[in-house]
Amino acid sequence: MTDLAAPVAAPTPTASTPLSLTVRDLCVEYSSGGYLIRPLDHLDLDIAEGELVLALGASGCGKTTLLSALASILTPTSGSIRLGHDGRAVEVTTLKGNALNTYRRESVGVVFQAFNLVPGLTARENVAAPLLVAGQSRKRALARASDLLERVDLGERMDHRPGALSGGQQQRVAIARALAADPPLILADEPTAHLDYVQVEGVLRLLRELAGPGRIVIVATHDERLLPMADRIIEMSPRVPSDAVGGRRELAADDVLFKQGDPGDLVYVVESGTIEVARERVGAEPEVVARYGPGSYFGELAPLYGLRRSATARAVEPTTVVGHPASEFRQIAHLSSPS
């Protein structure tokens, strides 16, 4: 793949204080089949100007939810998102009407996983589209689009429609479109998901170049090829610590062993007593989905697959459980059988 024609410059800072993104106590809840799902649970983030940050994790861990909240496509249940310069930061979660439209149009650029290019428009017209919607003249919008496509090494392809472009080229068109309004915040959702190892090279280099003075770039991904280029990594999927240590736990009646949404690092075996597992529901009492007695094991999926706990486990009566690291699960499964 050829080198990019020129680096894509970040916007020149216009304030004396640096750009920052601050997220505090961010929660997103929704109902799925009557059950309460909480992909973001009291999330705190501080991201500085010039940083390229990876939100890393498996599908369903909340990466896209986070980007949607930052882009104000989705309204969080609670919490704060502030973007801007000290003393001039905007509280994104309270924006409405014209202020919300202005934020989406001028402050944030989104690169979608599936490119989301309009099939009937050329690459140049796709990049110019958001500028035309914002009221710019066709001449200025097309000139800006041409400049951006030159910068992402697509100068010779700007009059081609998406169907005549490779996956990597379509993704670079999508990145150019996200840059059209020169926004301070760029959000990319799985930008390498549909690219092979040849196509991904130019996209990786381009994403790295975007982060600089006056701009923040956040990439949601499960692609570990992006790790070397990141300034910081946010682990969205709970990682099981390699030194997770189990042991015996004595629980009184109604004691909670773990809550729905907690990271999971241990598989449990009931020695005595009873454990009740229940899922939170919207507008209703929790639903009991299982009970485990002596000799039963439970809670294996979270540590094995890097998931959060899908239910809450509590003791029905005085109960003793033994926690085992996931590495011991095969032995546990051989010696125990679920009730």
Side-chain angles (χ1 to χ4, degrees), residues 137-260:
S137 69
R138 182 173 177 82
K139 181 178 180 180
R140 288 186 60 189
L142 290 175
R144 170 68 173 164
S146 298
D147 178 63
L148 287 170
L149 289 168
E150 290 282 356
R151 289 176 179 268
V152 300
D153 199 24
L154 287 175
E156 296 182 359
R157 308 288 286 176
M158 63 178 65
D159 291 321
H160 289 68
R161 289 182 170 81
L165 302 175
S166 71
Q169 290 170 336
Q170 289 186 63
Q171 191 61 286
R172 281 186 278 156
V173 174
I175 292 172
R177 181 181 58 189
L179 290 167
D182 207 16
L185 178 62
I186 296 291
L187 306 173
D189 189 9
E190 297 283 8
T192 61
H194 302 296
L195 308 182
D196 60 32
Y197 72 95
V198 175
Q199 296 171 341
V200 80
E201 180 183 333
V203 172
L204 293 182
R205 188 183 305 115
L206 178 55
L207 289 171
R208 178 62 265 180
E209 290 172 352
L210 293 182
R215 183 177 290 139
I216 289 169
V217 178
I218 302 176
V219 179
T221 186
H222 67 278
D223 188 346
E224 296 192 355
R225 293 177 295 184
L226 279 66
L227 292 178
M229 74 176 190
D231 296 308
R232 190 143 53 92
I233 296 168
I234 304 166
E235 291 279 5
M236 300 296 291
S237 292
R239 291 280 180 129
V240 180
S242 58
D243 59 350
V245 177
R248 184 171 278 97
R249 290 277 305 273
E250 303 285 346
L251 304 171
D254 290 327
D255 279 357
V256 173
L257 180 62
F258 55 75
K259 292 183 178 179
Q260 183 172 320

Side-chain angles (χ1 to χ4, degrees), residues 97-138:
N98 290 335
L100 177 58
N101 291 333
T102 299
Y103 171 80
R104 291 171 174 167
R105 183 173 63 246
E106 298 180 1
S107 295
V108 60
V110 181
V111 182
F112 297 96
Q113 176 178 345
F115 315 141
N116 284 15
L117 302 178
V118 180
L121 299 181
T122 65
R124 176 167 25 205
E125 290 167 339
N126 267 282
V127 176
L131 299 176
L132 295 171
V133 171
Q136 280 200 22
S137 69
R138 182 173 177 82

Side-chain angles (χ1 to χ4, degrees), residues 21-24 26 66 68-72 74 76 79-83 90-94 103 185:
L21 175 66
T22 303
V23 176
R24 289 289 178 269
L26 192 67
L66 173 61
S68 297
L70 296 178
S72 203
L74 176 154
S80 171
I81 300 171
R82 295 183 64 81
L83 175 69
V90 173
E91 176 53 61
V92 176
T93 61
T94 62
Y103 171 80
L185 178 62

